[in-house]
Short mmCIF file of all heavy atoms in Angstrom, two decimals:
data_model
loop_
_atom_site.label_atom_id
_atom_site.label_comp_id
_atom_site.label_asym_id
_atom_site.label_seq_id
_atom_site.Cartn_x
_atom_site.Cartn_y
_atom_site.Cartn_z
N MET Y 1 141.58 33.25 -1.89
CA MET Y 1 140.73 34.44 -1.73
C MET Y 1 141.59 35.59 -1.23
O MET Y 1 142.29 35.47 -0.22
CB MET Y 1 139.62 34.15 -0.72
CG MET Y 1 138.62 35.31 -0.53
SD MET Y 1 137.35 34.93 0.69
CE MET Y 1 136.48 33.60 -0.13
N ASN Y 2 141.59 36.72 -1.95
CA ASN Y 2 142.43 37.83 -1.53
C ASN Y 2 141.76 38.66 -0.45
O ASN Y 2 140.58 38.50 -0.14
CB ASN Y 2 142.81 38.70 -2.74
CG ASN Y 2 141.58 39.27 -3.43
OD1 ASN Y 2 140.63 39.68 -2.77
ND2 ASN Y 2 141.61 39.30 -4.76
N LYS Y 3 142.53 39.57 0.12
CA LYS Y 3 142.04 40.39 1.24
C LYS Y 3 140.88 41.28 0.82
O LYS Y 3 139.94 41.50 1.58
CB LYS Y 3 143.18 41.25 1.79
CG LYS Y 3 144.24 40.45 2.53
CD LYS Y 3 145.29 41.36 3.11
CE LYS Y 3 146.34 40.58 3.88
NZ LYS Y 3 147.38 41.47 4.46
N LEU Y 4 140.92 41.82 -0.39
CA LEU Y 4 139.86 42.71 -0.87
C LEU Y 4 138.53 41.96 -0.92
O LEU Y 4 137.49 42.49 -0.52
CB LEU Y 4 140.22 43.25 -2.25
CG LEU Y 4 139.17 44.20 -2.88
CD1 LEU Y 4 138.94 45.41 -1.98
CD2 LEU Y 4 139.62 44.64 -4.27
N THR Y 5 138.57 40.72 -1.41
CA THR Y 5 137.34 39.92 -1.49
C THR Y 5 136.76 39.67 -0.11
O THR Y 5 135.55 39.76 0.11
CB THR Y 5 137.62 38.58 -2.19
OG1 THR Y 5 138.17 38.82 -3.47
CG2 THR Y 5 136.34 37.76 -2.31
N VAL Y 6 137.63 39.36 0.85
CA VAL Y 6 137.20 39.10 2.23
C VAL Y 6 136.54 40.35 2.82
O VAL Y 6 135.48 40.29 3.44
CB VAL Y 6 138.38 38.65 3.10
CG1 VAL Y 6 137.95 38.58 4.57
CG2 VAL Y 6 138.89 37.31 2.62
N ILE Y 7 137.18 41.51 2.62
CA ILE Y 7 136.68 42.77 3.18
C ILE Y 7 135.32 43.12 2.58
O ILE Y 7 134.38 43.49 3.28
CB ILE Y 7 137.69 43.91 2.94
CG1 ILE Y 7 138.95 43.66 3.77
CG2 ILE Y 7 137.07 45.26 3.30
CD1 ILE Y 7 140.09 44.62 3.46
N VAL Y 8 135.21 42.99 1.23
CA VAL Y 8 133.94 43.29 0.57
C VAL Y 8 132.84 42.36 1.07
O VAL Y 8 131.72 42.78 1.36
CB VAL Y 8 134.08 43.16 -0.96
CG1 VAL Y 8 132.70 43.24 -1.63
CG2 VAL Y 8 134.99 44.26 -1.49
N GLY Y 9 133.16 41.07 1.19
CA GLY Y 9 132.17 40.10 1.67
C GLY Y 9 131.72 40.41 3.08
O GLY Y 9 130.55 40.32 3.43
N LEU Y 10 132.68 40.80 3.93
CA LEU Y 10 132.36 41.14 5.32
C LEU Y 10 131.46 42.36 5.38
O LEU Y 10 130.51 42.41 6.16
CB LEU Y 10 133.65 41.39 6.09
CG LEU Y 10 133.50 41.70 7.60
CD1 LEU Y 10 132.80 40.55 8.31
CD2 LEU Y 10 134.87 41.97 8.21
N CYS Y 11 131.75 43.36 4.56
CA CYS Y 11 130.93 44.58 4.53
C CYS Y 11 129.50 44.26 4.10
O CYS Y 11 128.54 44.78 4.67
CB CYS Y 11 131.54 45.61 3.59
SG CYS Y 11 133.08 46.33 4.21
N VAL Y 12 129.37 43.42 3.08
CA VAL Y 12 128.03 43.04 2.61
C VAL Y 12 127.26 42.34 3.71
O VAL Y 12 126.08 42.58 3.94
CB VAL Y 12 128.13 42.14 1.36
CG1 VAL Y 12 126.76 41.55 1.01
CG2 VAL Y 12 128.68 42.93 0.19
N PHE Y 13 127.96 41.43 4.45
CA PHE Y 13 127.31 40.71 5.55
C PHE Y 13 126.85 41.66 6.64
O PHE Y 13 125.73 41.56 7.14
CB PHE Y 13 128.29 39.68 6.12
CG PHE Y 13 127.78 39.04 7.39
CD1 PHE Y 13 126.79 38.05 7.34
CD2 PHE Y 13 128.27 39.44 8.62
CE1 PHE Y 13 126.32 37.48 8.50
CE2 PHE Y 13 127.78 38.86 9.79
CZ PHE Y 13 126.82 37.87 9.72
#
Side-chain angles (χ1 to χ4, degrees):
M1 183 181 294
N2 60 40
K3 290 184 179 180
L4 179 59
T5 303
V6 172
I7 292 172
V8 170
L10 183 60
C11 290
V12 170
F13 171 77

